Amino acid sequence: MLCNGTNMFLHVPDNSQQRILHPATVIQVENELITAAMTEPDFQIEPESDVFVFHEILREFMQQSVRVAEFAPGEYEEPPQVKFVTTSLPVSAESRQYYRVCTLIAELMIQVGDETNCPLLDVSVMGLASIASQTHPVGRQLEIRIPFEDREFFGKASVMSIRPMRSGKTRYGFLCCDAKQGGGNLPQGLQYISTAVQRQQLRRLAGIA
């Protein structure tokens, strides 16, 4: 949990393959607004940027997406300060902590941003993977809509990974934003779909057996 004195790293996604972690320390937490003092005196970032923070919780390296609310460049001997709000719950940055369920057999199509008919590849209680034709950078938040059974789940998710495919399309991995930041019912939907798909797969296996 981010609190006063927490040492953290801030990662600003870009088009390069190198992940650069910028060290910082949390110096104030006021309601949902968190202020961090950056170690690098020349650090700069634009407000409204969607970025990631990395920090330790119980000796495990965690990551979560955040949105920059305000940036104050350093003056004299004062370090630059970044004010941000978290847009997702923390997840492990060391391994795939949450089991992802393959949904290919269910042939589910979802909406990613304004692009419809995007195949849903897998889903977990914290995120999902899909194939899309449009180009999106790591860190961007997109509206996700998933029709499932007689319901529709929607909300925002951050692009966490990008993998180009031979077809010219891209495989995207998404981290779901929490309902407070992203709106909608996507977090509940991911949990519901994950459980339902697992049950469907177990029934199919039982039928085959």
Side-chain angles (χ1 to χ4, degrees):
M1 182 176 180
L2 293 167
C3 57
N4 286 351
T6 299
N7 294 319
M8 51 165 268
F9 296 94
L10 192 147
H11 170 51
V12 183
D14 55 27
N15 294 324
S16 68
Q17 298 298 316
Q18 184 180 13
R19 173 182 287 178
I20 302 176
L21 299 180
H22 303 276
T25 301
V26 176
I27 59 175
Q28 185 178 19
V29 178
E30 186 176 359
N31 296 325
E32 297 181 353
L33 191 64
I34 300 170
T35 303
M38 306 302 299
T39 300
E40 302 164 83
D42 57 348
F43 179 84
Q44 294 186 2
I45 194 170
E46 293 293 328
E48 301 301 317
S49 297
D50 293 314
V51 299
F52 300 99
V53 296
F54 294 78
H55 55 98
E56 280 193 337
I57 299 179
L58 299 177
R59 297 186 178 180
E60 183 173 9
F61 200 45
M62 309 292 284
Q63 70 178 20
Q64 62 189 126
S65 58
V66 305
R67 172 162 290 177
V68 176
E70 185 179 334
F71 173 71
E75 296 182 0
Y76 303 105
E77 296 183 358
E78 293 295 322
Q81 293 186 6
V82 178
K83 295 185 178 182
F84 60 87
V85 293
T86 61
T87 56
S88 77
L89 297 173
V91 296
S92 175
E94 298 176 348
S95 62
R96 181 172 288 187
Q97 182 179 4
Y98 295 95
Y99 178 64
R100 302 183 78 95
V101 183
C102 179
T103 55
L104 286 175
I105 195 171
E107 298 182 341
L108 299 175
M109 295 292 177
I110 69 173
Q111 180 174 333
V112 177
D114 58 5
E115 183 178 354
T116 58
N117 295 321
C118 299
L120 180 64
L121 303 180
D122 61 55
V123 65
S124 76
V125 297
M126 294 298 295
L128 64 142
S130 180
I131 296 174
S133 300
Q134 297 180 0
T135 301
H136 307 289
V138 171
R140 175 166 293 175
Q141 291 186 8
L142 298 171
E143 182 82 9
I144 302 291
R145 290 184 175 271
I146 307 177
F148 186 75
E149 297 177 347
D150 58 347
R151 304 172 64 180
E152 182 179 70
F153 302 103
F154 66 95
K156 290 186 178 180
S158 298
V159 177
M160 292 291 290
S161 64
I162 298 173
R163 184 189 303 170
M165 305 180 67
R166 292 182 180 179
S167 63
K169 296 184 179 181
T170 304
R171 183 191 191 282
Y172 292 100
F174 294 95
L175 175 65
C176 180
C177 299
D178 60 41
K180 186 181 297 184
Q181 295 294 333
N185 59 354
L186 186 60
Q188 297 89 339
L190 293 178
Q191 184 169 5
Y192 178 80
I193 294 170
S194 177
T195 301
V197 171
Q198 288 182 60
R199 289 173 177 168
Q200 290 173 6
Q201 292 179 354
L202 287 174
R203 285 198 294 267
R204 287 191 178 97
L205 289 173
I208 292 173

